[in-house]
Amino acid sequence: MDRARDDLIKKGDKGNLHALDQEWDSLQKMSFGRTQQLQELQQIIQEMSKEIMWVNDREEEELMFDWGDKNIDQYIPKKQESYSKLMSALEVKEKDLNKLKAKVDTLLKNNHPASDKIEAYRDTLQTQWSWLLQITKCIDVHLKENAAYNQFFKEANETYSNLQKEHETVRKKFVCDKNTSLEDLLGVLRELEMEKEKIMENKRQVHHLVSRSKNIVRLKPRNPEEKSSSPIIVKALCDFRQDQKVILKGNEAILKDNGQRSKWDITGPGGLDMTVPSVCLIVPPPNPLSISLANKNEQYYEAILSIWNQLFINVKSLIAWQYCLLDIRHINSLTISMLSKMRPEEYRQIIKSLETHFEEFKVSCSGSQMFADEDKRTMENQFNGAQSHYEQLVVQLPTYKVELKLCVSDVDVSPVDAFVFVLCIKLRSLFPRFNVSYSDKPISHIIYKINTFFNDFIVIRLRALRDLLESVARAEDIVKVHEARLTEKETTSLLPSEVEDYMLTLKNIKAELDQKRDVLASMEAELDKATHWNSQVGGPFHRCDMMLCKYGEHVGLLSDRWRRINGQIDTRLLDLQSYHPQLEHYKQTSASLFDWIDVTRKKQDTLQATKIDSIQTLIDHINNQKALNSEIKSKRGTVEMVLKDNEACVNSIKDYETDLASYTSGLESLLNIPIKRTMLKSPSMDLNQEATELQTRYLELLTLSGDYSKYLGELHKNMEELKIRNTRIDLLEEELRLLRDGIGDRDAKNKSLEEAVARYQLELSQSQDTLLSIEEVKQNAAAQCSATKESLDSTHSQLSDLNDQVTRLNYLLEEEKRKRRLAEERYTQQQEEYDSVLRKRQKELETVSWSKTEVEKSVASKDHEIEQLRRQLAAEAAKNKELQKEMSKVRSQFTMQSIQSQYNDIVMERDALMRKLQLLEKDKDRAQRLEEDLSHSKMTLESELRNKQHLLDDNERMKRDLGYWKDQYDSKQGLIRQYDSDKDRLEREKNSLKSEIERLMRELKELEEKHKNRLNDVSYGALKKRCKTEPHTGLLLLPITERLDPSKLVFDGVRKPVTAKQLADCGVLDKPTLKDLEKGKKTVPEVSVDKNLNLKGTGPIAGVVVGSKGKMSLSEAKKQMLLPEESADLLLEAQAATGHIIDPRTNQKLTVEEAFARGVVDILDRDRLLAAEAAAVGYQDPSTAKPLSVFEAMKKGLIDGTNGLRLLQAQESVGGILDPNLSVFLPKDTAIKRNLLDENLSRALNQSPKCYLDPDTEKDASYGELKKRCKTEPHTGLLLLPITEKLDPSKLIFDGVRKPVSAKQLLDCGVLDKPTFNQLMKGEKTVPEVSVDKKVFLKGTGPIAGVAAGPTGKMSFSEAKKQKTMPTDSADLLLDAQAATGHIIDPTNNQKLTVEEACARGVVDNRDRDRLLAAEAAAVGYRDPTTTKPLSVFEAVKKGFIDRETGLRLLQAQESAGGILDPNLSVFLPKDTAIKRNLLDEDLCRALNKMPECYLDPDTERDASYGALKKRCKTESHTGLILLQITERKDPTKLMFDGVRKPVSAQQLYECGVLDKPTFNQLVKGEKTVPEVSMEKIMLLPEQSADLLLEAQAATDPNLSVFLAKDTAIKRNLLDENLSHALSQSPKCYLDPDTENDASYGPVSAKQLLDCGVLDKPTFNQLMKGEKTVPEVSVDKKVFLKGTGSIAGVAAGPLGKMSFSEAKKQKTMPTDSADLLLEAQAATGHIIDPTNNQKLTVDEACARGVVDNRDRDRLLAAEAAAVGYKDLSAPKPLSVFEALKKGLIDRKTGLRLLQAQESAGGILDPNLSVFFPKDTAITRGGMCQRGGGHQGSRQIISSRGCCCGIPGSYHKEGTN
């Protein structure tokens, strides 16, 4: 480089030196930039590699970790700590990765050359990072589950140790026997009770462990050494993909091999074998080890508890035994004298204590280990002995007292007389029938009567007792046997034969009972008989009464048990008779269905195994599959029927089991003994399992068949497409072959041309030799011809100049080569971008066709260039011949100057020819590269198609798997919901049974009290014994119970207590009843039963009963839409008005507040129900403290009459008018007296007004009518209203615009009316039927789908926009309207797509994506970060998300398509409904009613409303699409005009302002032609000489190669205002050839053409409609396309016309003037040869001799004003103004060239090759804004220069 610089410095070649420095600087910049990029690449790759390695290390560490149960105590805390550190490290690393991502994004944004490598590393890092995050989630789950596993086994083992200690304590501490004292036994008993509390503390822990054991994972199977006989199920913790196989989070699989720690082999969903990292898998619960350990602890606890119970029984029995011994000893120690000193109560208490303790002993010793049977018999003998001793003493006591009295009175009575006397007294007191007295002498007669009486009476009484005991024993045996037989079975069977056998058994049992009915009658008769004889016994014999009372209860109990047995048998027979046919039917249908499923599955497997090798085979296969699929679908009804039968059988079994369990529980309660039960395995579980299996297998078969059908359909479609693509590829290959043949032919032609060129080169070399010989002749003649020396000197100087020019040309040639290399590099870069676009699978076929077109164009251009070259070679040959002739003349004339000139011309022509040949070679190489690119593109396209097919197959497979698992999940969820509902139902039944048991217990207590009261009816003797003797008088006084205060006798009212006094005052209690209450003859519970109607009423309607769903509350029925909302609300108010809200599930009465708190009623109903509840508790009146009744509230206006009447009717139907002060129901007459009613209201109530709503018919009905329809639930007494079962409205789903919508939502928004909704609920109408009726609301009438453009047919708006068939603005607005109404419509395929789908399928351009998504938000809702609910258009306008005009436009489209679209419901609504739902306001509604013109008519391009455009549309019959009819338009990019130097399209002319909108539309519609517009754009002027000068107006645009007006040139950055203003002053930049004074061109602008009416609106419309052609419009616009022409030459009198060069040579005009005018020609596009009327480039003009070669460089510099200046820093050629700004030319030259362009047509845009007016040029940045002149002076050119600072140097030398 330094040597080259030194050489150039020595030569003084500054131009080349400057060029060399610039080239070196650019190379250094390029090298530095490339080095920096390589460093950036190295740094970013290192950083990403480092992060990838870090992530891989963490991943490898976590994948290798063993999550088994080995050393779990040690690794859990360590792993938790390491996991915490890992998460902290990940947080830090995430920040680093974000910074790294920012660097990567910056490099990619700056288009780094290695972007593909950087993207690959970035994607790898992102993938690895995401995978590591997934692993951390799995680790978190493992930590939690393994920690729970470890904690469970720790707690379980600790609990077991505690239980062992407790067992040891109980076993050793509590030891006792018969020798233990009573005090010690009582101490042991207290310690036992304390120990029970300790034992019970373990109960919670044991049960907690049992519940937790079911959720413990399995860790043992993670160990490969652990073998299992059954398959191990594993569960995925995250999504994992292996090749085309996928397992999703939550999916279950079967573990095949876990030999590797890090990776396990499994069988995943769909039976696919996969290898998955073990950290991603968990062995889910249940864990048999945990369950067994928990159960072991539970059994151990139960064992300890049983030991404690045994010890407790032992101690209790010993204590009772000790007490009995004490009492026996006490009684045995009694004597007659001791007894005589006691009061009767005292010695009776002694025997009563013994009997009590003995009974306790008998009870407690039944399970005691301390007493054997012998011990029990010994104790019984001791008891009997003590009892006999006591009875003897009691019998002797009266005699002893008489004797004692006789002894005291000293009466002389013999012992026999005394004994007879005492005996008679005793017998009369015992037996009322005994009428023997002591006065009946003699003694023998008295003794005879006594013997006779005892023989008759006592024997009869004992016989009656014996018969009673025997009959009771017989009856009890029969009852026990049959009860045992009935409790043997706790459920039924699934075999119809076993059911029949059991029914027969029940019938036999019933027959046996009927036969033994006389045993029951005999027992009852014997009881009556024994009671009769016992009544003959006197007062002291109470023990016999007690015994008979017990046996009477026993007989009643046996009778009741007998009747219960009969009733249970009848119930069971009835249930089994209904269950048996159901079971038989189910068994038959299910068996046949299972067989069908097996057969069909085999058919399906056979079809799937069939190999498909041709399309015909595939079609046959599809037909077979369709038939099979149709058969499977047709079985859906059968499956549902079988499932219903299954459900019916399950319900029957559950009801049957409930009856059996109720009977057994009742028997346990009745007998107070536990009945041994086994673990019930209900057949309903088997039926549920069968139903699940049936449903699963059918759904699996249906899914498999459907998926395979879809797969076959896709396969058929893909094979058809593949066939079409293969055909297309064959066609492309054929075209490519033809292109190759054509290129080969052209290569041959080129070769022949090369040979011709070689021949010409040979001839040129011969010519050179000839010239050398001539040179020798010239040198020989030089000595002789000194006159020619000066000529030779000048020739040498010219030769040196020519050498310099050759050097410069060589430099320019190298420069052109370098630029060509840069162009090739840019081409390579563009080709790489093209390949990347191709990889993204966008516009594959368009790209191929484009490449093909480019090749064709390139070949055509090569043909054209070769043809031109051929013509040039022919011309060169002709010139060569002329040269030979000239050379012969030289030999004769020896004129050195002419020869030298011809030599120079030859050299230049040779150089030009060489350049042409080089260009031809490069074009040939480029054509070859394009061919290779085409083949590469084709191969890439094929690979992309294959990849796309693979992706489609994967996608379909994933969809099938997803659908299968989704169905599995749904079925499981359905089972879970069924189990939950069964559980809830059983819980409710349990609660109801519990409440029923409590009620029965209360009734039992009441009966016991009644029975005790009846026992209190005793004889006079008994009353006399109850008397007390007054000490001082000896009177017998009977103690009686004190009378009760009626104000303290409290009854339970409706809402509060009420006293007996208050009930008597209001007439509920009559006086006799009140007296009985006061005297205690009647109790409050007894009277409450009698007065239940007044105290509690008959009860309101508690709820509803709905078919299979059973009973439910009114609120629940309303929520499930089983009740009309209005009807449910009225019935709820009736409940509140009658005192309570009733929960029928739990049979509880609640206040409104309690019901709200427990969720029985909705919070929305709270206030309304509280208002209704005031009818029961009273309305609050601020003027009085006393609560008001309904009637009083009506009178005071607190409630209206209708509501009051309705609430009173409910009260009356329940029991009467409810007094809120007393809280009891009163009859109407009493209510009138107490001012709770008046006569009018009473008459109104008597008319039974229909104040309520029948839920079935939805007609008005009275409350009484509804109550009559109710059914009373037997075990609760609740009134339940039966209603027709309705469909769940939440499952009645309609298809909305963008998402599903339920029937309830449609009802709420007014789309569905109430009758239609009810018909849907009752199944009278289906969703599809209603959908057809409501299509306008659900789908709308549809937007404008596309356009129909003449023969082109229908197309989408995007396609019409691309093909320029309609204006872009109109298409964009109509596309927005489609998006705003829900979908983008593809009219070719008749598909509705979302914006994302439309972009993905290429229906709309990706550049329109963001705008269409914004419009689509009008349909799906705008996102607001402050709320989760999407906003409507109106809300988005209010919040400022969109402007009002846009909102109005989108709403107008929605309204025209069906109504205002609600984004939440996704349905169209009328405007009035939309206003109510806050989707509109009144202002927007009025604006829409005015039909604003928010859209653009594509034909007239005038504003129009959406409705007006829809009216112009036509509906396609077979698709229903609405298509807009438009006039066919031509593509403006294909309407080509001839520019100054190159073609230019109408679209470019319109964009740069050369064509105005009307003319452009006329062209597009065909109303004008290109030639017509071209002619209009040429300024036609008179042929005077002055006008010829004016034809050189306006500069030419070097890029467009057309002339532009100055305003257009300013817009296109070809001028600024300063230069424009300077040009407007017509500066004298040229020399007048006649006067040699400064002259200027006169200005003519494009504005004048518009003002003079050249372009008018009708012409524009004619062009748009095709009434004018493109050539016609071309004529109109020729002034912009070709300009008015520059000054072509001069007309010099008799010499005629000649070019400026020729006039200069002949000295006809000054050289400076000619040079300036030649530059003006070059700057306006061409050098003009006036002799041949040809327009030539500067090179062509030099080659043809039209201009002198010495002027070539200067003219080339001027020509750059038309073709653009080259700048290395800019890819586009620069205009004059831009070159002036960059200093490539000076301002004086720029102004001069711009003036020439302006005079020739306007400012020339070098990119578009058209002329622009000045204002357009300023707008486009071509001129500066300073053109105002100097202080009122409008002169631009002056002695000081123009206003822009341009000096006035456009003058001749020497002038100022």
Side-chain angles (χ1 to χ4, degrees), residues 1166-1178:
R1166 179 171 173 268
D1167 293 339
R1168 183 170 45 74
L1169 292 178
L1170 283 172
E1173 189 181 39
V1177 298

Side-chain angles (χ1 to χ4, degrees), residues 389 479 509 818 925 1042 1112 1231 1255 1406 1423 1517 1597 1707 1763:
H389 177 66
V479 168
I509 292 173
R818 185 181 66 79
D925 294 338
E1042 187 179 0
M1112 61 181 68
N1406 274 322
R1423 299 296 174 192
S1517 58
D1597 187 328
K1707 307 296 184 181
V1763 298

Side-chain angles (χ1 to χ4, degrees), residues 544 636 1046 1856:
C544 194
R636 182 186 291 274
N1856 290 326

Side-chain angles (χ1 to χ4, degrees), residues 199 287 318 374 482 549 637 685 1000 1013 1068 1113 1295 1439 1641:
I199 295 173
N287 188 337
L318 285 172
E374 185 64 31
H482 289 86
C549 180
M685 298 173 65
L1000 290 172
N1013 291 333
V1068 173
S1113 66
D1295 188 14
K1439 291 204 173 188
Y1641 286 23

